[in-house]
Structure formats: C-alpha cells, structure tokens
Amino acid sequence: SSGMLLHALSMPKYLSESIVRYKEDVSKLTLPDPSTFDGVVISGMGGSFISGLFLQDLASDRSSKAIILNRDVRLPRFIDEKKLLVAVSYSGNTEETLRIYLEGLRRNIPVVAVTSGGELAAVSEKLGKPVIRLPPGIPPRAAFPHLTAAIAALTSSVLGLDLLGELRRAIDELAKREDSVLSDGLALSRLLFSDVQNNLTPLIYGYSPYLSPAYRFKTQINENSKIHAFFGELPEVNHNEIMGWNGVLKSFTVVFVRGREEPKYMEARIEFLENLFDKNNIRFYNLHGNCEKRACELLSLIMKADVVSIALALLLGVDPTPVDTITQLKKFLD
Ligand code: F6R
C-alpha cells in the first residue's frame, strides 16, 4: 500500500528520467514530417487518458494546432490523415483504445501506440507500426510520468512547442517548492476523511487550464480511496448544478482546485459559490499549487491530489493499489 505513495512522491524523478528516455525513443521512430499535421488526437481511457488532458491544459492556448482528446470507441469523422493519432493504453488491452487504434489504421490516419505490451504492442509490432514501449508492472494511473513524457515527446514538434524542455524546467522549479506537497496533501486528506465519515461525497471543482489536476483528483479518489467522487467544471456548473445547493440533499463536500493563472472572472465566480456554501452550511476547501509557471503548477497540484487520495485510502483502511472491479469488468468483456 505504501507503493502508491512512493509512486506519487517520486513523480518528478520518474518524469525527469522519462523525458530523456522517450525523447530518444521517439527520435528513432519514422514518422511523417511534423509540418504535415494540423493537430493531434490523443486517445485513451482512465489512467491512460489523464496525460492527454494534462497536455491540453499545458499547451492548447499556445499552439495553433488542435489537441483533440478521445475517450470513445469511435473516431469522429473529421479526423483525417492530417492528424497524428496517439493511441495510449498502459496495458495495451483496453478495448476502447484498441478499437480506436484499428479504426485509425483502417482510415489511413498516421498512428503511434503508447503501451507497455498487450494486444496493442502485438498488433503494432506485427504490422511494423510505430510504438513507444513503457516499462511493465506499474498500475496505469501511477504510470502518469511515463505516459506524460511519452505523449509530450510525440506531440511536441507537431504542436510547435518545446514541451519536454518545459517539463524539465517545471521539475527544477518544483524541486525548490516541493516542501508543502506532502503536508498540504495530508492535511486535506484528514478533512475529507472526517467529511466522508459524515456521509459526504467529495465533489471536485476545476477550471481551465487546471482541469487535469481536478479530474485526476476525482479519479484518484475513486481508484485509490474506493469511494465515489465527482468532478465539475467551472464556469459551466454555475449555470445548472448551482441550483442544487439550495435543495434538500446535503450530500457533498467541495474542493476547488485552483492555479496561479486564475482570471478575475473566475475568482468572482468562486467567491459567489463560497458565500453560497457558507449560507447553506456546505463544507468546502481550496487546493492551491506551489509554483509560478503553469507546467510546475499542474504537476504540484497533481502530486497533492494523488497524496490526498492515497492518504484518504489509508485513513479509510483500504489498500489504494488494487482496482478489482475494473479488473472484473475487463474479464467480463473479454
Ligand atoms: C488506472 C487504472 C484504469 C486504467 C483504465 C485503462 O490505474 O487502472 O484507470 O488506466 O482502465 O486501462 P489502460 O490504461 O491499461 O488502457
């Protein structure tokens, strides 16, 4: 069970090693000229999805190329050979991602597989298609640094950004500011633990460009702590979900995931919610990052979210690592 915590706290180290490894691995692939692409499609589920969202948070307002995320079994019709399709499945055996990969091949879309093995590795190797190999034996959600570096290495030149350089500088910045990651994470885990014991369900609110830590927080509470947790995106929730706070159900405890680049319009919206929560006796907390630059801010928030979910698991007396029901589902579908 301490394995997960070690993974979470070692994220900067794994990311730094992965940047070197996948830069080299990608340089050995034969891929079309990056300038022929007008965007990238990143396809993957669960732990193999979150790194795509991270890159979208990091890059989408700075690249003129599209970053399209896919979590479906089908590819939208408009995706053509001017997109680089990155099919990400840590295990290589996720049906949704395998289908997308095969559909991409059928439609002559340039595809790269990112996987530790399984069907995805077998098919791409048999067909001589490019594949980035991840080290085996890691729970997919703990492979975040590997997946992130691999996808960044593959998409950087298409997007026209030095994503690996940015990640490297983010790790350096984080190293100077890491002190409070563990203490902030543990403090929030204790607050959430007491709320959960009072039958409150965590509801995580986030906004762009920090959607990946907010969504990661929700999925990590699900998979590590084995309880329900929900995610809502600002400002959209203010146009519907906001009505629920005045109702008869008092079911949630709220965490706002907040980054350094918080526009005034967002501050005002959060302030309104906080006042509403105070009035209605809704418990809420803020999770802040530690950094100046966006990449570092995202990484520090993800580390804190990971720590909270693992510590919450331990407080609840559950082992964060196994995800039996997901395994059973995959067997059922096989
Ligand atoms: C994370 C986890 C799941 C998987 C998801 C997809 O640890 O177990 O979220 O990531 O079921 O599987 P993969 O990543 O193997 O394609």
Side-chain angles (χ1 to χ4, degrees), residues 45-48 89-91 94 139-141 223 323 326 330:
M45 309 299 290
S48 293
S89 170
Y90 178 80
S91 64
T94 296
R141 62 194 181 283
E223 292 179 78
V323 283
I326 299 177
K330 288 179 178 177

Side-chain angles (χ1 to χ4, degrees), residues 170-191:
I171 295 162
D172 293 342
E173 188 186 347
L174 190 57
K176 295 184 215 120
R177 295 158 172 273
E178 228 173 331
D179 317 357
S180 71
V181 166
L182 190 60
S183 53
D184 286 4
L186 293 179
L188 183 54
S189 72
R190 281 192 285 268
L191 294 165

Side-chain angles (χ1 to χ4, degrees), residues 21-83:
R21 179 177 326 138
Y22 299 117
K23 187 178 182 163
E24 169 152 8
D25 290 359
V26 167
S27 74
K28 290 184 194 142
L29 299 179
T30 30
L31 292 171
D33 187 322
S35 69
T36 61
F37 294 112
D38 65 6
V40 298
V41 181
I42 306 168
S43 215
M45 309 299 290
S48 293
F49 164 77
I50 194 71
S51 296
L53 189 58
F54 174 88
L55 289 175
Q56 194 173 61
D57 278 338
L58 184 60
S60 69
D61 58 351
R62 293 182 300 129
S63 177
S64 59
K65 307 285 178 77
I67 304 172
I68 297 154
L69 305 182
N70 185 276
R71 283 183 287 183
D72 202 347
V73 289
R74 298 190 310 169
L75 272 181
R77 185 70 190 280
F78 79 94
I79 308 289
D80 57 16
E81 68 293 339
K82 278 161 64 190
K83 305 280 184 299

Side-chain angles (χ1 to χ4, degrees), residues 13-310:
K13 172 174 145 291
Y14 292 133
L15 185 58
S16 142
E17 293 166 359
S18 300
I19 288 168
V20 179
R21 179 177 326 138
Y22 299 117
K23 187 178 182 163
E24 169 152 8
D25 290 359
V26 167
S27 74
K28 290 184 194 142
L29 299 179
T30 30
L31 292 171
D33 187 322
S35 69
T36 61
F37 294 112
D38 65 6
V40 298
V41 181
I42 306 168
S43 215
M45 309 299 290
S48 293
F49 164 77
I50 194 71
S51 296
L53 189 58
F54 174 88
L55 289 175
Q56 194 173 61
D57 278 338
L58 184 60
S60 69
D61 58 351
R62 293 182 300 129
S63 177
S64 59
K65 307 285 178 77
I67 304 172
I68 297 154
L69 305 182
N70 185 276
R71 283 183 287 183
D72 202 347
V73 289
R74 298 190 310 169
L75 272 181
R77 185 70 190 280
F78 79 94
I79 308 289
D80 57 16
E81 68 293 339
K82 278 161 64 190
K83 305 280 184 299
L84 175 66
L85 173 59
V86 184
V88 188
S89 170
Y90 178 80
S91 64
N93 291 323
T94 296
E95 184 182 347
E96 291 87 344
T97 316
L98 278 166
R99 286 195 194 211
I100 290 293
Y101 182 76
L102 296 174
E103 186 177 345
L105 286 179
R106 255 195 328 273
R107 285 165 48 180
N108 281 320
I109 297 163
V111 286
V112 187
V114 175
T115 185
S116 71
E119 269 295 292
L120 192 54
V123 174
S124 55
E125 259 149 34
K126 192 171 122 215
L127 300 173
K129 297 289 175 186
V131 50
I132 294 294
R133 281 285 202 151
L134 307 165
I138 309 170
R141 62 194 181 283
F144 171 80
H146 303 270
L147 294 162
T148 301
I151 300 169
L154 282 165
T155 58
S156 227
S157 56
V158 173
L159 300 175
L161 298 168
D162 177 21
L163 295 176
L164 295 180
E166 283 178 38
L167 289 175
R168 208 169 2 82
R169 287 187 291 280
I171 295 162
D172 293 342
E173 188 186 347
L174 190 57
K176 295 184 215 120
R177 295 158 172 273
E178 228 173 331
D179 317 357
S180 71
V181 166
L182 190 60
S183 53
D184 286 4
L186 293 179
L188 183 54
S189 72
R190 281 192 285 268
L191 294 165
L192 288 180
F193 175 60
S194 108
D195 290 348
V196 168
Q197 283 185 309
N198 289 319
N199 281 318
L200 299 176
T201 300
L203 172 52
I204 316 296
Y205 277 166
Y207 54 85
S208 178
Y210 307 103
L211 294 174
S212 55
Y215 186 66
R216 169 78 166 183
F217 201 173
K218 170 245 183 312
T219 62
Q220 288 287 69
I221 294 175
N222 296 150
E223 292 179 78
N224 291 335
S225 324
K226 277 86 176 165
I227 56 172
H228 279 302
F230 296 93
F231 160 77
E233 185 173 342
L234 287 159
E236 170 63 13
V237 293
N238 284 345
H239 297 274
N240 33 65
E241 201 162 291
I242 198 169
M243 291 313 302
W245 302 112
N246 307 88
V248 290
L249 298 175
K250 301 280 182 225
S251 329
F252 294 110
T253 174
V254 177
V255 183
F256 292 103
V257 173
R258 308 176 74 164
R260 178 81 55 182
E261 299 167 67
E262 185 171 282
K264 279 267 170 296
Y265 82 87
M266 191 58 73
E267 244 175 70
R269 281 157 173 78
I270 293 176
E271 194 189 323
F272 181 89
L273 286 178
E274 288 180 339
N275 292 334
L276 186 68
F277 293 166
D278 278 333
K279 241 189 350 238
N280 289 284
N281 285 319
I282 307 292
R283 299 177 63 79
F284 66 90
Y285 314 101
N286 289 299
L287 187 67
H288 290 283
N290 286 22
C291 310
E292 297 290 336
K293 291 248 176 66
R294 191 188 299 176
C296 177
E297 192 76 332
L298 287 167
L299 292 177
S300 71
L301 284 167
I302 286 176
M303 281 183 82
K304 284 185 193 181
D306 286 3
V307 168
V308 175
S309 68
I310 296 158

